Structure formats: C-alpha cells, structure tokens
Amino acid sequence: MQLAPSRTFPSVQECDDPFLALWPHRYDYLWAEHPHPDERPDWQTESRHPLSDRLLQQGTMLYGVRFGPTTRYCVLDVDKGSAYHPTRDRFAWRRLVAALEVLGLVQAVVCTSSYSGGLHLYFPFDTEQKTWAIALAVSTLLENSGFKLAPGQLEVFPNCKAYVTSGEHSLYNGHRLPMQAGSYLLNQDLQMIRG
C-alpha cells in the first residue's frame, strides 16, 4: 500500500517548550555559523526540511525563520547605525510603538538582535492573522507616521512581498530568532535583563 506524499509536513515538535512553539513556521529557515567577533553571519537558506526543535536547542548554529500564510507576531528591526536607534534618537523606538497602537499593538517585547547592538521589537497577537495583511498594515502605518523603511535602518517582518507574475513562489524575508548568542531581553529602559 502506497501513501500519497504529503505537501504539508509540520515541523517536528520534539519537546513541549512554549518558547519554541512561538515559531511554528519552520520551512525555508535560515542558518549561519557563529561568526567571529565584529563579523556578520553568512546566512544560508535550508529548504530540504523544516527546522527542528532539536537543532534550535543544540545552539551549534544561529537560526532564523520566515513567515507562513498566517502569523501570531510581527517584528521591527532597528539596526545599530539606524537613525531610529536609541543611540541616535532615544525616543524613536517609543514612537514606532505608538504608531502601531491603532492596530492594538501597544507594547513590544524588546531585545537586542545580536552582539551588533541592534534592536528587535516583537509584537505578539492574541489570534493568528494573515501574514500579508499584517505586513501591509504595519508598513503602511509606519510610513504614514514618517518612518522610512530600508535595510540597515528600519525593517518590518513580515515584509510586503513583491507581486510575482511569473508564477514563481517568493518567500517572506527571514529574521534571526531571539535569545541566541548576543541577544538579550531588554526592559522598558532598554537595560539588559536576561539572555
């Protein structure tokens, strides 16, 4: 008896870890070796299998994830050299949060993205939302509030994907997962409280 191949193979949940459960979409994940100090990771995409809990827990590599059709969070990425980073504008990150209040996103979980000192602002949702709608709403609200979205300055995850007419499948941009090497949870004064 032959079984029909499955097109949707869920990520392998090897443990009951509520933190790892926050990242259910594990396809086309990112990985990189831990770089030398002051070097950037050389990110690669793995499409042959979903990212497993076991790989995440081992911590031998850095990992990142992309978004599927629905999401329960979005992320704002503010790089260290950005005009919106607290070292250049100490109130900009609060203005970013304020711009999203109309969506009901009133508080962010803030952490350093890596040893570089950039910030990731995570906004969790109570219920799943369509990824494309969140990408469009968040990007539009930020731009209408005067923020300029650009790599190295301010990025939104999930991103607004370009319209593809050739029938090709385009992926959402991936983001580095928090609480890996160089990532620390920050309080509302942006002081490190946990790694």
Side-chain angles (χ1 to χ4, degrees), residues 110-113 115 179-186 192-195:
V110 184
C111 63
T112 56
S113 57
Y115 288 122
M179 309 318 289
Q180 298 182 91
S183 177
Y184 297 94
L185 190 61
L186 305 177
M192 290 186 217
I193 55 174
R194 178 172 287 163

Side-chain angles (χ1 to χ4, degrees), residues 74 96-108 123-125 134 138:
C74 68
L96 287 166
V97 174
L100 301 181
E101 281 186 22
V102 70
L103 293 177
L105 305 176
V106 296
Q107 187 171 6
F123 293 88
F125 313 143
I134 288 298
V138 170

Side-chain angles (χ1 to χ4, degrees), residues 135-178:
L136 183 60
V138 170
S139 296
T140 301
L141 281 171
L142 291 174
E143 288 173 338
N144 288 346
S145 297
F147 295 100
K148 300 297 180 194
L149 304 180
Q153 289 293 314
L154 175 61
E155 294 179 80
V156 174
F157 297 91
N159 60 300
C160 292
K161 295 194 307 184
Y163 182 71
V164 180
T165 58
S166 63
E168 292 180 21
H169 176 69
S170 65
L171 299 172
Y172 287 101
N173 292 341
H175 67 86
R176 184 180 188 147
L177 287 173

Side-chain angles (χ1 to χ4, degrees), residues 5-23:
S6 171
R7 296 241 184 248
T8 57
F9 181 75
S11 62
V12 178
Q13 301 294 321
E14 298 148 337
C15 61
D16 192 21
D17 186 328
F19 178 73
L20 295 180
L22 295 172
W23 325 109

Side-chain angles (χ1 to χ4, degrees), residues 56-140:
L56 285 168
Q57 290 174 322
Q58 287 173 349
T60 56
M61 300 281 181
L62 296 174
Y63 293 102
V65 294
R66 299 179 189 276
F67 291 84
T70 60
T71 183
R72 291 190 64 130
Y73 70 98
C74 68
V75 182
L76 302 184
D77 178 14
V78 180
D79 285 356
K80 175 75 174 189
S82 168
Y84 309 122
H85 193 274
T87 56
R88 296 189 59 195
D89 181 343
R90 66 183 201 173
F91 299 114
W93 78 275
R94 293 187 188 272
R95 289 196 323 275
L96 287 166
V97 174
L100 301 181
E101 281 186 22
V102 70
L103 293 177
L105 305 176
V106 296
Q107 187 171 6
V109 176
V110 184
C111 63
T112 56
S113 57
S114 65
Y115 288 122
S116 70
L119 297 180
H120 280 180
L121 287 73
Y122 286 84
F123 293 88
F125 313 143
D126 289 332
T127 58
E128 282 190 341
Q129 303 294 318
K130 291 181 179 174
T131 302
W132 68 267
I134 288 298
L136 183 60
V138 170
S139 296
T140 301

